Amino acid sequence: MTKMDKVLLIENEDIRNLHISPDECVEWTIESMSSKYDSILPPKISIHPQGTDFFNTMPCCIPGDYFGVKEVSRIAGREPSLSSEMLLYSSKTGKLLALIDCDWITAMRTGAVAAITISRLAKMNVRTFSFLGLGNTARATALCLTSIYKDEKLHFRLKKYKDQAESFIERFKDYSNISFEIFESDLELIKNADVLISSISDAKGLICEDESLFKKGILLVPIHTRGFQNCDLFFDKVYGDDKAHVEGFKYFNRFKYFAETSEVIIGKDPGRENENERILAYNIGLGLHDVFFASRIYEMLRDRVNNSFELKKEISKFWI
């Protein structure tokens, strides 16, 4: 005997057509970060077939009725180099609910986590943000910063790369509260940065070996972890989205202080305690946020999207 299960196929265009606001992304992310310790969240599995290419498998079961597993890959030379998909299930019935293109989800949840981290760990009243790497992750972070700091004057310092700085400025040209500054070199950008967001996905060695260029009170958010390993040794505090994701780092046992970012969100950790602390935040990416976003999007689309496929499942035991 067999049955036919309808599986929703959710494509990037379906998600974009929902016009989900940065406000919603920030709200969903805070909710998911707050639920971390009520979720089942094993560490991601990372496979590196060659060079800097990778496949990351990210499972998570969130409170309620959803389990998901996201596969994200980076392949040098592919356009785009980063890509991801998710299988979303009912954790109560085991039914496969949807196959989801996760590229939008990955970018926006990553940007939201970075922006929330900045709002909780940066020095008080800092509204100047320095960006190294100006792809979609940086744009998503900037969008979520404009949500958190509504109607406040923001200044974005940008590292020039090809035409990306000009394209970034064009993207935010209608935001009258944002001003921009372009820097030619990494070191000039790092010098005097109060908040440094790095979203470069590849780096050959260390980006800045001069400890003195990282000013007192800086918050460093290396989203893809590349290029700042030396900071592990001299920054006052290190935060991570999940201990299991960073405890394999070369210098983990030499961190001066470590806590999870979600502990700051729920009030278990004090976060920044003075204006001189140099803080490093490794938000490597949790399947928790992906499944949370995917479940909300699935609920919004399950009665709207006609694009689905029938999965033929046997319901009687079969023998090999």
Side-chain angles (χ1 to χ4, degrees), residues 28 32 39-41 58-63 65-70 86-89 91 100 102 105-106 109 286-299:
W28 290 352
S32 64
S39 302
I40 302 172
L41 181 65
M58 305 169 65
C60 184
C61 187
I62 64 175
D65 189 25
Y66 295 104
F67 165 81
V69 57
K70 186 178 86 167
M86 176 182 290
L87 294 173
L88 183 70
Y89 296 83
S91 57
I100 305 172
C102 270
I105 292 175
T106 299
R109 66 83 159 148
L286 299 182
L288 167 68
H289 310 309
D290 297 305
V291 176
F292 201 95
F293 270 54
S295 67
R296 295 299 185 271
I297 289 168
Y298 170 75
E299 290 170 356

Side-chain angles (χ1 to χ4, degrees), residues 73-88:
S73 60
R74 180 189 185 278
I75 305 297
R78 183 178 64 185
E79 186 62 38
S81 59
L82 279 168
S83 185
S84 56
E85 299 79 34
M86 176 182 290
L87 294 173
L88 183 70

Side-chain angles (χ1 to χ4, degrees), residues 129 131 142 154-158 165-183:
F129 309 105
F131 289 86
L154 307 180
H155 185 61
F156 290 167
R157 305 167 79 242
L158 313 176
E166 292 78 9
S167 177
F168 191 95
I169 292 171
E170 176 68 18
R171 171 63 180 85
F172 291 93
K173 66 180 181 180
D174 294 330
Y175 290 75
S176 59
N177 61 321
I178 302 177
S179 57
F180 302 91
E181 190 176 2
I182 298 176
F183 290 80

Side-chain angles (χ1 to χ4, degrees), residues 71 115 141 170 197 250 265:
E71 191 70 29
T141 302
E170 176 68 18
I197 305 119
K250 180 179 180 180
I265 299 298

Side-chain angles (χ1 to χ4, degrees), residues 49-148:
Q50 64 271 325
T52 58
D53 293 354
F54 62 77
F55 290 88
N56 288 342
T57 304
M58 305 169 65
C60 184
C61 187
I62 64 175
D65 189 25
Y66 295 104
F67 165 81
V69 57
K70 186 178 86 167
E71 191 70 29
V72 56
S73 60
R74 180 189 185 278
I75 305 297
R78 183 178 64 185
E79 186 62 38
S81 59
L82 279 168
S83 185
S84 56
E85 299 79 34
M86 176 182 290
L87 294 173
L88 183 70
Y89 296 83
S90 164
S91 57
K92 293 180 179 177
T93 68
K95 181 180 183 294
L96 176 61
L97 303 173
L99 171 61
I100 305 172
D101 184 329
C102 270
D103 288 354
W104 183 94
I105 292 175
T106 299
M108 288 307 300
R109 66 83 159 148
T110 303
V113 170
I116 292 162
T117 299
I118 291 165
S119 71
R120 302 301 176 98
L121 294 177
K123 292 191 298 183
M124 190 177 298
N125 299 321
V126 166
R127 300 295 183 266
T128 297
F129 309 105
S130 302
F131 289 86
L132 180 62
L134 297 173
N136 273 332
T137 301
R139 291 186 179 203
T141 302
L143 285 167
C144 291
L145 285 171
T146 65
S147 170
I148 292 171

